Amino acid sequence: MRELITKSFLEIFAQEPILAFAPGRINLIGEHTDYQEGFVFPAAVAQGIWFAIQKNKSNSTRIHSLDFNEDFVFDVKSFSPRKGHWANYIMGIVSQFKQAGYEVEGFDMVFGGNIPVGSGLSSSAALSVGVGTAISGLFNFNIPKKSLALYAQKSEQLYEGLNCGIMDPYASAFGKADHALLLDCRTNTHEEIPITLGQYSLLLVNTKVKHKLADSAYNKRRSACEESVEILSQKFPEIKTLRDFSEKDLPKVKSILPRELFSKAKHVILEDLRVHQAGESLRHGELVKFGELMKASHESLSKDYEVSCAELDFLAEESWKKSYVLGSRMMGGGFGGCTINLLETERIPEFKRSVSTSYLQAFNIEPEFIEVKPSDGARIVK
Ligand code: ADP
Ligand code: MG
């Protein structure tokens, strides 16, 4: 991929580029906790997007997308959002940089990668963080990783109109090989936890569905959490979000909240706890314990938080049945997307055959399998 990007850049723009890379990400555990300032546990993966970039001494920025085989030109001094277009993520970052006082001048860029779009690996964050890394490197802005992640988040919020969290760009920026990031979404700081998988591997199974309910349900769950906080803060004026509660508070929380809100709050409170337990398990190489936490997370997301769907439940349950799978759960916002599975590497072919057959039979869909490995974050390549 790296060679292909360089070659295309030379062919189109006839000068030597500098190269940047940004990866996609997975989330090991900690779902629907970020917007309550809780904890998540992502890792960057090996799949990512490569960028070849060089200054062109003009105000005109020319971009070629290899994957879409499309060109886009814009004036760096004056441009406006193009929602839904891939160039929007690039203009969004340039806009953030300019607002922060960085003088971005015209550049040429070719980019392309191997992250399946819309499968739950956050290709959009890789694109945003990668563009930020490339531009920062090209103009020697030396922008810190955390700022790159925050600009990427802001860019997607303002340009795409998406109410997204910090996790995806943060993981793409800070990823480290064979580590996951225990990220605190209140302070935006993280702890690196080493992941030693030994004879086990992480494998995503893509349901290949995205139910219409996803967006409206996401907003509803967010509001439900906010409503709970409002009610609870009358009794506990010091609390700001559900993150401020722990397991021992559950009986009190239960006595205050209506039943419907309690089950949602309970998920968020216990999921935060599971993230910490998962961190401890992985730090000590206790993969079986980690697998159990994955299952508990899925059950909570499915039964209490109600963001799963028949396809995700089916895939998780199929995995739990297999002795060589240590854990499985839905990954991401829900109502479609992937499950993440921890299983014996040697049995992956057998797993794929078995799951393909049963999923095809149940839903008439051929699932997609994506092997993932905790890898390094965004960087200038040369
Ligand atoms: P994801 O879950 O993968 O982040 P999104 O819908 O948030 O899915 O973002 C996908 C969008 O990001 C694509 O529609 C495209 O505009 C942009 N994008 C991602 N990867 C690439 C790529 N390799 N080339 C061009 N655009 C890309
Ligand atoms: Mg995205």
Side-chain angles (χ1 to χ4, degrees), residues 292-316:
E292 285 162 5
L293 291 164
M294 291 171 83
K295 183 176 182 190
S297 169
H298 184 90
E299 287 175 327
S300 176
L301 286 159
S302 181
K303 298 206 178 73
D304 286 331
Y305 215 62
E306 298 180 279
V307 289
S308 188
C309 59
E311 293 86 350
L312 285 168
D313 285 345
F314 180 90
L315 287 178

Side-chain angles (χ1 to χ4, degrees), residues 32 41 49 54 62 77 88 100 108 133 142 145 180 206 233 286 312 318-319 360 367:
H32 286 278
F41 202 8
I49 305 179
Q54 195 48 268
R62 301 176 292 184
K77 302 283 171 216
N88 209 35
D108 295 330
T133 304
N142 293 314
K145 287 182 184 194
N206 192 350
S233 64
E286 295 163 358
L312 285 168
E318 280 294 295
S319 284
L360 187 66

Side-chain angles (χ1 to χ4, degrees), residues 197-205 319 322-327 341-357 367-373:
L197 293 179
Q199 81 235 49
Y200 294 91
S201 294
L202 290 164
L203 179 72
L204 308 185
V205 186
S319 284
K322 303 187 193 315
S323 61
Y324 56 88
V325 180
L326 295 187
N341 303 272
L342 178 64
L343 75 173
E344 274 181 45
T345 309
E346 273 194 354
R347 312 285 285 268
I348 288 178
E350 175 185 345
F351 177 84
K352 286 183 180 172
R353 276 197 300 276
S354 160
V355 171
S356 288
T357 310
E368 177 193 18
F369 299 92
I370 308 169
E371 292 183 35
V372 288
K373 186 178 180 313

Side-chain angles (χ1 to χ4, degrees), residues 42-237:
V45 294
Q47 293 91 335
I49 305 179
W50 284 260
F51 303 81
I53 188 170
Q54 195 48 268
K55 297 175 196 174
N56 66 13
K57 301 193 175 72
S58 79
N59 285 334
S60 172
T61 277
R62 301 176 292 184
I63 302 163
H64 180 70
S65 155
L66 272 184
D67 299 328
F68 285 72
N69 191 24
E70 238 174 57
D71 298 309
F72 192 89
V73 178
F74 68 96
D75 181 344
V76 279
K77 302 283 171 216
S78 157
F79 55 87
S80 41
R82 281 277 300 274
K83 207 176 151 183
H85 194 288
W86 53 262
N88 209 35
Y89 297 90
I90 300 166
M91 295 192 292
I93 290 294
V94 173
S95 161
Q96 284 299 308
F97 279 17
K98 284 172 66 179
Q99 268 180 46
Y102 296 104
E103 299 223 358
V104 183
E105 289 157 29
F107 59 89
D108 295 330
M109 188 167 87
V110 173
F111 74 105
N114 58 2
I115 310 176
V117 168
S119 293
L121 286 172
S122 204
S123 64
S124 61
L127 176 50
S128 307
V129 170
V131 168
T133 304
I135 298 178
S136 173
L138 180 66
F139 295 102
N140 288 315
F141 293 152
N142 293 314
I143 300 176
K145 287 182 184 194
K146 192 187 283 191
S147 308
L148 285 179
L150 288 167
Y151 292 143
Q153 180 192 17
K154 250 314 191 22
S155 157
E156 209 163 327
Q157 284 173 349
L158 293 176
Y159 268 56
E160 278 294 298
L162 217 94
N163 198 357
C164 52
I166 189 72
M167 170 169 76
D168 299 354
Y170 195 100
S172 179
F174 282 96
K176 183 170 168 181
D178 303 316
H179 287 72
L181 315 173
L182 206 162
L183 170 60
D184 180 336
C185 296
R186 170 169 280 168
T187 58
N188 291 341
T189 54
H190 74 280
E191 192 187 339
E192 288 172 353
I193 310 270
I195 310 242
T196 312
L197 293 179
Q199 81 235 49
Y200 294 91
S201 294
L202 290 164
L203 179 72
L204 308 185
V205 186
N206 192 350
T207 60
K208 297 233 213 112
V209 299
K210 168 121 177 129
H211 293 293
K212 281 209 186 72
L213 220 66
D215 293 346
S216 64
Y218 177 84
N219 292 330
K220 269 194 201 151
R221 296 300 179 276
R222 268 186 95 121
S223 321
C225 289
E226 283 157 19
E227 199 182 331
S228 294
V229 170
E230 204 174 302
I231 297 171
L232 290 164
S233 64
Q234 289 162 12
K235 271 260 169 69
F236 307 96

